[in-house]
Structure formats: structure tokens, C-alpha cells
Amino acid sequence: MQIWQPHAVSGVTSVRVGGVEITLDAEVTVTGVGDRVWELDAPEASAAQWRVPCVEVEAYWTPSSGTRWVPPIWNAPATSRLTSGSPVASLVGRDGANVCTVALADVAGRTSITSGVMEETGEFAMTVQGQGLRIRLDLSERRFSAALAEVAAWWGEARTPRQARLPVYSTWYSMHQEVDEKGVERQAALAKELGCDTIIVDDGWQTADRARGYAHCGDWEPNTAAFPDMAAHVERVHELGMAYLLWYAIPFVGKANPAFARFEGKFLRYLDHMDAAVLDPRHPDVRAYLVGKLARAVEEWRMDGLKIDFVDRFATPGGDPEPSPGADCADVDQGVLRLMAELDARLPGILVEYRQPYTSPGLWPYGNMIRAMDCPLSPQENRQRTVDLRLIAGLQAVHSDMILWHPSEPDEQVAVHLINALFSVPQISVDLQAQRPGQLAAIRFWLGIFREFLDTLQLGTLEPDQPEHGYPLVRTYDGHAMVIARYAPLPVDVPADGWAELLLANAAADTRVVLYGEAAQTVESVVYDCRGTRVSEASLSLSPGATLVTVPVGGLLRLRRTEEES
């Protein structure tokens, strides 16, 4: 059990910042960069420790999308490296107020944040460790989401083309490895008509084997029985108006293809349960091979981008093995960084999808789409993961995990699945040919909302409520529009200003929605059901206090200010 010790290292430096005593194992320079926000620069330090009073604390937020309970001091450290995690954590108080948010500037190195309640004192202790520390410490009392947004801006900006923000169809859950050109083109045509602009073809294109293993990864040659002419097939998808991304499990080389023998001795480890080895990116010829294979998809087949999967599997549990002869760096993460940089230099500007857990800002220069980890048929998990990613992704496009549902799912629940991904880019993955008319109408309606309010939803100010409960209410706004999603029977505040149009998506089972107005105002109200059918419209007088409206499950309330009010 790890016990927090405030003076566990010799030769410490102690500084007082915002009423908090911080100890470090080297000299430090402290600079104020905002209202109760500081940067601590300690190039020679490897550890820093402090405590804050645990008063009105509700949650402890980390980017791992785990539980939000406030941990005890013996809680395991939250680790971060280039291939996994991000070095940030936030202690959250009542009503989402920030108590203490900490982030490290080193987004590529190996760092840890250890936090927990000191039972003896009722304080919350935090210890950060790394090699050379530059720390951002935020003790302001604004919303924790605002503190995290500034952390993302502090880390830097991501390149994100508009195409990365448009709805996606994925073949993974709907087709798994049973993919061929006719099936892909059929789903692409249907998806385009419903509002998708990109298709991602996942595992299966490279093999006729359907065992769901990785023994046939590594050569990255099309299964010619399913894709006899990949370039011609991609062109037909382009003619539909769809961008095309192709899946690569980039670290794996399976035992059933010639690349396995070619790179024998340049593996990090062998994975028995996957029938594949993990390539060692510290070798220049390994990187050149992978870059060449991935580049072929874009240069020869005219793909618009790549789904780069399993980057986190480059990391070896227990530490990096000694490099074999021919490696040009000792650290595996450094090899991964060189691989991604070489791929970006070869294929600048393409769409590149990463996913949890490899969310480090150190990878931002080389990707522009970051997806929630697999959580099939779990809308609440999809919501929490996408919101968590949005909080620290900056301008990078955040994508939902592929959304699927049982064929007999009611139309309303189809809409609920989509509303749970409302603040991300939705990826749909069901057989569109098998959908009932009502299910198709729900998809078409909600993808239309995603597109119409794309800027507000993806680029507006994001304010999720109650992280300790998985964000039962989330809002975003940009000065013109405000979009609110309600996932539990909670009342909804209607601000007096800051919007010309307000949308309320109801994913809760309770159709009775209480609106709390801040000022007397008259608005035009339209209510839609889950399929986009108007069920009511009226002029609605909002007084200070409560107003009750009915919004169907999976439905939408749209409020527009009248000319006098606007």
C-alpha cells in the first residue's frame, strides 16, 4: 500500500501558493497565469506534493473515464505516457466547482498523479511525479470544465479538418469481419442518405479468415475475394459523396503472414491470445514498413484517412525490453513518436482516428479524430466517455464509440442512443437495410440536428453537470444557440440571455420537463418526437420560476426568441 509522505525526499523546496503548501525535491519558479492559477517550473524536480481541505467535495475527475468517487490515499497512481492517458486530474466540489485541478506539461513522458483523502486530517493530498516538472495548478472556484478547457489550451492546439466533425458510419459492430465491396457500398449509400459523410471500414478487409483474431494482420493486403479492386471500390464510395477511412491494427504482425518471419527478432513481445506479435517501433525498418503499408491506402487506393488502432499495445507492461541491434532509440514511446511523425510527413492532412486510452496531447499533431473506447450498447458509458474526452481534447474532434442497438429497439430508444452521443461526432454501426421506417426516421432526424448545430455542439462552451453521476445534464453554447441534453428527470435552467435559440433533447424516461426561467420572456416553442414529427407548437411565456412542458422520450424541444425578446 502506497502511503503519502509529505517529506519523503531529501533536499525539498517548500513554497506557498494560494494558501497551499507545496513541497518539491528541487528548486522551483512560480508564476501567476490567471486568477488563482499558477505555473510551477522545476526542471530538476521529479516529485511535488501538497494537500487541500476536502470541503464540499463531490467528485474526483481523471481522463480515464472511470468512477468519480473521491479516493482514499492508498488509491493507485494515475499514470500517463505518450501511448496511454493524459497527465491531468481535477478535484470537483459542489455544483461542479473546481477545487483543485492539476496538469503537467510533459505530455509524452512517463508521469503519475497520486491522489486521495488523508483520513487523519480530512485533507485531499496530491503527488505528481515525472522527470522535470512543469505544473499547472488551478485553485479557482469556477466550473471544473472551464479549468480543464484551459488545461487543453495550455497543452496546445490540434489540427481538425471539417470532415473530421461530420457523422460517420462504421462497419465494425454492424458487419464485423463480414465485409466486402458490395456490402460496404450498400451501407455507404444508405448512410449518406441519412446524414453520414464518412465511412470507416474496420477489421476484415485484409483477410478471408473470420476467427476474429489477429493472425492475419501485418501484410495489409486486401482480401481479393471481397475487394478485388480496392481503388475502384473506393472511387465508387467517393461518388456517393462519402469520405473513406481504412482500419489498421498498427502494432500487430500475425503469425500467418510473411511479415512475421521478416521481422523475427524485432518484436516487443508475442501475444498468444491474439496469435500475433507486437512490432518494435524503435527500429527504422519497422517504421518504414508500417509507413509504406499505411501510405499505400492513401496514395494508391485514394483513401481519405486511416483508423489507427491499438497504439496503446506498443507499451509493454513492466517496462521496455532492451532494444535489439539496429534500433535507433531506447524508449518505445520515442519510437512510436517517430513512427507517427514519419507517417504524418508522408501523408499530411489526412483524417486519422485514434481512441481511448491513447489520448495524450503528445499525439495531437498526428491525429484529428479521437474516439471513445468500445462500449457497445451502453449509451451512458458512451456519454461519459465522450464528455470526458471533450473536456480535455481542445479542438480535436471527439467521436462516440460505434452506436448500435438490437433490431427490435423502439424508435424512442434509438433516439436515446443518439442523444447520449450528442456532444461528440456520432458513429453509427447498425445494418441500415434492416431498420424499420421509424428507426430510420429517428436516425435521420437526430443526424440532422448534429449537422445543423455542429458548431455549437462541438465548438461551443461545454458545461456538463454532476460528474459524480455520469453527467445527467449537459449543455453547450456559443452565444447564438444553446443545446441542453437531459438524461435524468432534472429541472432545466433557461438563462435570460446568451442565446437566440435553445434546444432541449430529452433522453430521460420522464416526459415532464420543468424549465426554470431567469427572467420573464416570451419564446416560440416547438416540440418534436423522436422521429422528428412536430407534436406541438405554441407561444410560451417563461416567467421567473418553474414552467412545465412535455417532451417525448427521445424528443426535442426548440425554443426561439420572438422579435421583441431578441
Side-chain angles (χ1 to χ4, degrees), residues 482-537:
M482 175 175 289
V483 182
I484 302 172
R486 174 181 180 261
Y487 304 101
L490 297 175
V492 177
D493 291 326
V494 179
D497 50 30
W499 57 275
E501 184 166 12
L502 187 149
L503 275 65
L504 172 63
N506 184 34
D510 187 355
T511 62
R512 301 164 299 176
V513 178
V514 177
L515 304 177
Y516 275 111
E518 292 183 356
Q521 55 184 316
T522 301
V523 296
E524 297 302 320
S525 164
V526 182
V527 176
Y528 301 84
D529 69 11
C530 66
R531 294 167 289 273
T533 302
R534 291 192 182 203
V535 295
S536 68
E537 50 187 306

Side-chain angles (χ1 to χ4, degrees), residues 92 98 101 173 312 349 403 444:
V92 184
N98 174 61
T101 293
Y173 292 146
D312 54 308
I403 304 170
R444 184 180 293 107

Side-chain angles (χ1 to χ4, degrees), residues 196-209:
C196 291
D197 283 87
T198 299
I199 187 166
I200 299 176
V201 172
D202 212 290
D203 188 5
W205 67 269
Q206 81 290 355
T207 178
D209 179 76

Side-chain angles (χ1 to χ4, degrees), residues 61-66 68 84-86 88 144-145 148-149 151-153 155 158 165 353-361 364 368-375 381-402 423-425 427 457-458 462 464 471:
W61 184 96
T62 67
S64 61
S65 294
R68 296 289 183 244
S84 180
S86 300
V88 59
F144 85 102
S145 53
L148 291 173
V151 167
W155 281 334
R165 300 192 182 280
E353 185 199 273
Y354 297 144
R355 65 165 172 83
Q356 290 177 315
Y358 44 102
T359 60
S360 169
W364 285 3
N368 39 51
M369 301 158 61
I370 181 72
R371 180 176 63 81
M373 185 182 288
D374 296 17
C375 49
E381 184 76 2
N382 219 354
R383 173 175 81 245
Q384 180 170 322
R385 288 187 175 278
T386 51
V387 171
D388 284 343
L389 284 171
R390 277 288 310 277
L391 288 171
I392 57 162
L395 296 178
Q396 194 173 36
V398 170
H399 285 233
S400 73
D401 183 39
M402 291 77 72
F423 302 95
S424 64
V425 180
Q427 292 197 13
L457 288 167
Q458 295 187 41
L462 184 71
Y471 310 125

Side-chain angles (χ1 to χ4, degrees), residues 19-65:
V20 173
E21 193 77 18
I22 303 174
T23 59
L24 303 95
D25 58 355
E27 295 297 318
V28 63
T29 301
V30 179
T31 305
V33 295
D35 184 13
R36 292 186 59 76
V37 184
W38 297 267
E39 286 186 18
L40 289 77
D41 193 8
E44 303 301 320
S46 61
Q49 307 167 327
W50 64 90
R51 311 180 195 184
V52 295
C54 207
V55 176
E56 292 192 339
V57 166
E58 299 284 351
Y60 181 60
W61 184 96
T62 67
S64 61
S65 294

Side-chain angles (χ1 to χ4, degrees), residues 89-330:
S90 183
L91 188 63
V92 184
R94 188 180 300 277
D95 293 328
N98 174 61
V99 176
C100 178
T101 293
V102 59
L104 302 178
D106 184 2
V107 295
R110 303 182 192 193
T111 62
S112 69
I113 301 176
T114 306
S115 304
V117 173
M118 299 285 293
E119 298 169 6
E120 297 86 350
T121 64
E123 294 173 299
F124 193 81
M126 304 186 85
T127 303
V128 299
Q129 293 177 293
Q131 293 304 311
L133 294 177
R134 186 154 69 93
I135 304 167
R136 179 183 172 90
L137 183 64
D138 189 329
L139 300 175
S140 66
E141 297 179 356
R142 57 192 168 155
R143 279 184 171 269
F144 85 102
S145 53
L148 291 173
E150 287 199 2
V151 167
W154 182 61
W155 281 334
E157 293 187 358
R159 304 172 303 172
T160 306
R162 188 74 169 180
Q163 187 72 43
R165 300 192 182 280
L166 300 175
V168 172
Y169 182 85
S170 168
T171 65
W172 181 235
Y173 292 146
S174 60
M175 304 173 78
H176 283 107
Q177 291 184 315
E178 300 294 338
V179 288
D180 60 31
E181 61 178 27
K182 289 184 179 179
V184 169
E185 290 166 25
R186 184 164 53 244
Q187 296 296 333
L190 294 168
K192 177 64 178 179
E193 191 274 331
L194 291 171
C196 291
D197 283 87
T198 299
I199 187 166
I200 299 176
V201 172
D202 212 290
D203 188 5
W205 67 269
Q206 81 290 355
T207 178
D209 179 76
R210 297 295 181 253
R212 295 278 291 273
Y214 297 89
H216 297 272
C217 290
D219 286 337
W220 302 116
E221 295 291 335
N223 169 21
T224 55
F227 297 93
D229 189 335
M230 186 65 86
H233 159 63
V234 173
E235 180 57 29
R236 289 192 293 272
V237 172
H238 283 162
E239 289 171 358
L240 297 171
M242 296 280 277
Y244 200 133
L245 274 70
L246 197 60
W247 171 88
Y248 288 84
I250 190 170
F252 300 150
V253 55
K255 65 180 183 181
N257 60 62
F260 189 88
R262 173 178 175 178
F263 290 108
E264 189 80 47
K266 296 179 180 179
F267 300 151
L268 292 171
R269 61 192 181 282
Y270 184 78
L271 305 172
D272 289 316
H273 65 295
M274 289 186 169
D275 292 327
V278 177
L279 288 165
D280 189 343
R282 295 175 292 185
H283 289 269
D285 58 334
V286 168
R287 299 196 301 268
Y289 175 80
L290 290 173
V291 169
K293 286 294 183 180
L294 273 63
R296 184 185 180 197
V298 176
E299 296 170 349
E300 183 177 331
W301 303 330
R302 312 308 298 170
M303 296 289 176
D304 301 279
L306 306 167
K307 174 176 179 173
I308 298 180
D309 212 352
F310 295 110
V311 171
D312 54 308
R313 296 302 182 95
F314 281 119
T316 302
D320 295 348
E322 287 294 320
S324 56
D328 62 358
C329 55

